[in-house]
Amino acid sequence: CLLGLAITYASSFLLNVPITSYKRNYDNNIIKVYEPKNIPLNELRCLVFYTGANSIIPADIYSNFIRTLNNYNFSVNVVTNDNSATKEFLSTIKDSYKEIIPISHSSGYVNAIKTVNKQKNINKGIFLDPVDNSFLNNNFTFFNNQNSNQYNLNYIEKILILRAEKSYKGSIFPKLEIPFIPAFALNSEKLEKSNPDLIINKISEENYGHSDVLDSLWADLMHGSSISKGNENRDQSNLDSYVDWLALQIYEFVNTWFIC
């Protein structure tokens, strides 16, 4: 494929744009919306955000990441783990925005695929450290579900996978550290095999971990517990740089086209 790039690139040094936030209610499920002010919806790309722990983690824990995405003129809509509410929401907004793109962190990937696989208008996806835990039931115990398949993508044609590599690597010395993700990581080779026409962009950041996308209080907590090790430099400016790097990769991905 020949890669064509959008003419306009975002600067990685952006001023905070004014935003508005509000809530959408679907059968008592609250979807939080954060988007730039004074831009018509049909000129905005809408990121439907599926958070970690199968979309249970609240939006507030990702506030810095969401705010940075807003700086790149994205509308960010944070869904819950109630997939029926998300499907209703997707139906409601399908004609409102310039484009609708699912974005997930960790096992939010599972909910994302379950809800967008019947959405013909959604053909891109963005997955941060995608995890497939579909072999667990709602009580997080093992079960055998032959119909559970997170690798068949019905309408998505192009995806971006962003990997925080410190979560995939362990160590023995000076102390034993078990990597956070590998046992559950989405198998990108299997994904390619199941979807031979799928375009997959894979970008890695070697020096950050799975939880560094979270607000610093929670990222530091995870790093300090050794459950999910992140960058050793815990300064806010350093974590901000990582979040901005993520947002820039996302911006460039959605503003890129492929000519095959």
Side-chain angles (χ1 to χ4, degrees), residues 66-125:
I66 292 169
R67 187 69 181 87
T68 306
L69 291 169
N70 291 148
N71 285 342
Y72 285 84
N73 283 343
F74 289 113
S75 170
V76 182
N77 296 245
V78 186
V79 298
T80 71
N81 68 330
D82 186 319
N83 289 337
S84 61
T86 301
K87 289 175 182 177
E88 183 180 353
F89 161 67
L90 290 173
S91 177
T92 300
I93 67 166
K94 67 179 181 179
D95 297 319
S96 299
Y97 291 91
K98 181 177 182 179
E99 187 175 17
I100 298 171
I101 305 168
I103 177 173
S104 71
H105 180 227
S106 192
S107 56
Y109 170 85
V110 174
N111 291 56
I113 298 307
K114 285 181 178 178
T115 56
V116 305
N117 247 354
K118 294 183 179 180
Q119 306 292 324
K120 294 182 180 180
N121 62 314
I122 296 178
N123 55 32
K124 294 188 185 83

Side-chain angles (χ1 to χ4, degrees), residues 134-145:
S134 56
F135 52 85
L136 301 175
N137 64 20
N138 291 334
N139 296 318
F140 293 95
T141 55
F142 291 93
F143 80 116
N144 183 19
N145 185 351

Side-chain angles (χ1 to χ4, degrees), residues 102 113 116-117 119 122-125 127 153-159 195 198:
I113 298 307
V116 305
N117 247 354
Q119 306 292 324
I122 296 178
N123 55 32
K124 294 188 185 83
F127 309 121
L153 306 181
N154 293 339
Y155 300 107
I156 293 180
E157 302 171 352
K158 176 182 172 185
I159 68 171
N195 306 274
L198 182 67

Side-chain angles (χ1 to χ4, degrees), residues 122-249:
I122 296 178
N123 55 32
K124 294 188 185 83
I126 301 163
F127 309 121
L128 282 66
D129 292 329
V131 166
D132 177 17
N133 65 353
S134 56
F135 52 85
L136 301 175
N137 64 20
N138 291 334
N139 296 318
F140 293 95
T141 55
F142 291 93
F143 80 116
N144 183 19
N145 185 351
Q146 298 296 330
N147 296 319
S148 178
N149 191 339
Q150 304 306 312
Y151 289 89
N152 292 332
L153 306 181
N154 293 339
Y155 300 107
I156 293 180
E157 302 171 352
K158 176 182 172 185
I159 68 171
L160 172 65
I161 296 177
L162 292 165
R163 284 174 46 119
E165 288 295 332
K166 285 181 71 71
S167 297
Y168 298 83
K169 299 174 183 177
S171 67
I172 298 175
F173 182 84
K175 64 178 179 179
L176 178 65
E177 292 181 350
I178 299 173
F180 183 65
I181 291 180
F184 303 96
L186 188 75
N187 186 327
S188 60
E189 293 181 1
K190 183 177 178 181
L191 189 65
E192 291 179 271
K193 186 176 180 180
S194 299
N195 306 274
D197 296 325
L198 182 67
I199 297 172
I200 302 179
N201 293 16
K202 290 182 279 189
I203 303 176
S204 296
E205 203 346 300
E206 296 290 332
N207 299 313
Y208 291 85
H210 187 66
S211 298
D212 283 338
V213 68
L214 306 178
D215 287 356
S216 59
L217 172 65
W218 305 100
D220 289 348
L221 180 66
M222 295 295 285
H223 175 77
S225 69
S226 296
I227 294 173
S228 176
K229 296 293 287 184
N231 191 282
E232 294 300 328
N233 180 355
R234 307 309 298 171
D235 289 348
Q236 185 65 55
S237 61
N238 185 51
L239 297 177
D240 287 346
S241 294
Y242 173 59
V243 170
D244 188 68
W245 177 84
L246 288 172
L248 180 59
Q249 307 315 305

Side-chain angles (χ1 to χ4, degrees), residues 243-259:
V243 170
D244 188 68
W245 177 84
L246 288 172
L248 180 59
Q249 307 315 305
I250 292 165
Y251 175 88
E252 292 188 350
F253 170 73
V254 301
N255 286 282
T256 298
W257 66 90
F258 288 79
I259 305 171

